[in-house]
């Protein structure tokens, strides 16, 4: 397990209320964990624990057991997590510091002391993958919200972290770009065994990629598991994507459907399968061949 938390609780300085309460959470290499929950339930706070922003930057009181990449964030400074944990903030402009897009991408790599060629190879790849090539000389502050978000994600990805924590990474992106970026993240989990923790309100966008869904309410994890099953149990909390509502109605209407994953592709496949079975049965009844 690359992440282990056991009975983890946290409160901000000067507050009596615990924002995280007795959180138990583990994650393995290759998982794409979708973290959802009502606004203010503690998702961003939870994210800040992964690289030690809590408690080092925010202060407050963190109790319980925690290990990320084999380290307890309370005992290691945040820079020691830079190589292992990539963190994209909810407001990406807060994590852009440099005078150009290219500098922004190269800085962390130079800090790691990587060879020139390797730095330039990774930067070029990121410029391509995140469609930033034309913006390479622009100042990050002059970019649009969506461009800044792409840059923030890219500058974390170039570091090739083992854990990616993305706090509402697609909030400023159009739906096509949002899906493309999450697909890139999913590819990293499959091909490189990266663990992704993604906070995302738009279920439609993130669900096709999630291998697991975690629901937080009022600082506690109230459900954790297979995304379709979690949604079925927690629809009063997390809502329900239209695609799944359609499936439920079709089942109510008498269609026998088994949906592997709550994505339009899988749903379409299972409808096609059910339709073919039905057609076949009808033909047999009529006594026609085939
Ligand atoms: N820096 C801070 N200092 C004190 N309290 C904070 C701080 N940041 C967040 N909180 C409080 O902690 C609680 C959880 O906030 P958090 O930002 O983690 O929620 P969230 O689930 O990410 O919400 P959203 O979906 O709106 O982003 C809230 O009550 C919030 O007011
Ligand atoms: Mg938040």
């Amino acid at each position: 397990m690359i992440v282990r938390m056991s009975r983890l609780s946290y409160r901000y300085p000067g507050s009596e209320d615990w924002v995280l309460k007795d959180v138990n959470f583990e994650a393995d290499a290759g998982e794409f964990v979708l973290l959802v929950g009502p606004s203010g339930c503690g998702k961003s706070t939870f994210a800040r624990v992964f690289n030690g922003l809590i408690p080092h930057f925010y202060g407050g009181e963190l109790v319980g057991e925690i290990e990320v990449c084999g380290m307890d964030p309370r005992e290691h400074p945040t820079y020691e997590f830079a190589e292992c944990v990539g963190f994209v903030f909810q407001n990406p402009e807060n994590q852009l510091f440099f005078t150009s897009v290219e500098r922004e991408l190269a800085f962390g790599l130079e800090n790691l002391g990587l060879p020139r060629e390797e730095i330039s190879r990774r930067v070029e790849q990121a410029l391509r993958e995140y469609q930033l090539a034309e913006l390479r000389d622009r100042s990050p502050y002059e970019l649009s919200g969506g461009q800044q978000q792409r840059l923030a994600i890219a500058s974390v990805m170039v570091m090739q972290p083992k854990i990616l924590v993305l706090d509402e990474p697609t909030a400023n992106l159009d739906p096509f770009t949002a899906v493309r970026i999450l697909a890139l993240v999913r590819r990293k989990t499959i091909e490189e065994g990266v663990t992704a923790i993604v906070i995302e309100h738009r279920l439609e966008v993130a669900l096709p990629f999630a291998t697991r869904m975690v629901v937080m309410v009022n600082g506690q994890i109230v459900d954790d598991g297979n995304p379709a099953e979690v949604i079925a149990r927690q629809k009063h909390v997390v809502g329900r994507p239209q695609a799944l509502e359609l499936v439920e109605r079709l089942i109510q209407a008498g269609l026998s459907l088994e949906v592997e994953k709550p994505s339009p592709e899988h749903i379409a496949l299972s409808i096609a399968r059910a339709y073919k079975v039905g057609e076949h049965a009808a033909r047999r009844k009529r006594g026609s061949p085939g």
Side-chain angles (χ1 to χ4, degrees):
M1 291 290 163
I2 189 143
V3 180
R4 265 181 225 276
M5 300 177 189
S6 164
R7 306 210 56 186
L8 195 75
S9 298
Y10 174 73
R11 57 182 171 191
Y12 285 99
S15 166
E16 293 195 351
D17 301 326
W18 295 91
V19 173
L20 300 177
K21 298 168 192 152
D22 263 344
V23 170
N24 295 309
F25 177 80
E26 289 190 343
D28 216 344
E31 287 195 278
F32 187 121
V33 181
L34 174 59
L35 174 62
V36 299
S39 183
C41 72
K43 301 180 299 295
S44 294
T45 303
F46 179 68
R48 289 172 190 143
V49 170
F50 280 80
N51 62 349
L53 277 179
I54 284 179
H56 296 299
F57 180 78
Y58 286 90
E61 198 179 343
L62 182 67
V63 301
E65 283 169 41
I66 172 163
E67 206 180 87
V68 181
C69 302
M71 298 183 280
D72 183 333
R74 286 167 295 199
E75 289 162 13
H76 294 261
T78 44
Y79 66 78
E80 285 188 28
F81 288 88
E83 235 179 311
C84 182
V85 183
F87 185 34
V88 176
F89 295 45
Q90 195 162 350
N91 304 306
E93 70 272 17
N94 294 344
Q95 73 185 109
L96 303 172
F97 304 102
F98 296 93
T99 50
S100 76
V101 166
E102 196 171 344
R103 289 295 310 135
E104 193 71 55
L105 291 170
F107 175 76
L109 300 172
E110 289 166 3
N111 250 5
L112 288 184
L114 293 178
R116 283 253 130 249
E117 312 77 65
E118 175 65 10
I119 294 178
S120 126
R121 195 188 62 75
R122 289 203 205 173
V123 167
E124 293 308 319
Q125 184 185 345
L127 288 170
R128 237 184 3 258
E129 283 186 336
Y130 296 89
Q131 296 178 325
L132 295 164
E134 281 169 18
L135 305 171
R136 67 193 302 154
D137 299 319
R138 293 271 295 277
S139 155
Y141 303 102
E142 292 165 3
L143 303 182
S144 76
Q147 291 167 339
Q148 285 181 337
Q149 205 150 25
R150 292 204 317 265
L151 176 58
I153 296 172
S155 59
V156 157
M157 290 293 220
V158 287
M159 304 285 284
Q160 300 182 347
K162 293 194 175 66
I163 303 174
L164 268 172
V165 182
L166 308 178
D167 194 351
E168 300 194 33
T170 70
N172 297 316
L173 302 179
D174 64 79
F176 291 110
T177 311
V179 165
R180 218 173 42 75
I181 298 244
L182 290 181
L184 275 175
V185 172
R186 178 66 184 127
R187 214 174 73 203
K188 302 280 173 202
T189 66
I190 294 171
E191 291 175 1
E192 292 162 34
V194 167
T195 305
I197 316 285
V198 179
I199 299 171
E200 178 63 68
H201 284 290
R202 293 191 288 177
L203 288 184
E204 257 91 2
V205 172
L207 261 181
F209 306 106
T211 60
R212 177 176 158 198
M213 185 161 161
V214 171
V215 182
M216 182 171 271
V217 175
N218 199 6
Q220 287 181 309
I221 290 181
V222 297
D223 212 330
D224 183 348
N226 170 287
E229 290 167 18
V230 170
I231 289 180
R233 286 193 293 265
Q234 304 293 334
K235 37 185 185 228
H236 55 291
V237 181
V238 301
R240 189 172 40 173
Q242 281 183 338
L244 278 187
E245 186 154 348
L246 175 66
V247 170
E248 216 161 274
R249 301 257 164 135
L250 287 170
I251 292 172
Q252 278 167 11
L255 210 57
S256 143
L257 284 186
E258 264 182 52
V259 179
E260 253 171 80
K261 273 186 158 188
S263 74
E265 289 81 359
H266 284 93
I267 291 169
L269 267 180
S270 58
I271 293 177
R273 229 182 281 133
Y275 179 75
K276 277 188 193 137
V277 171
E279 209 179 50
H280 187 67
R283 252 191 253 121
R284 275 226 313 250
K285 230 179 183 171
R286 287 198 303 269
S288 55

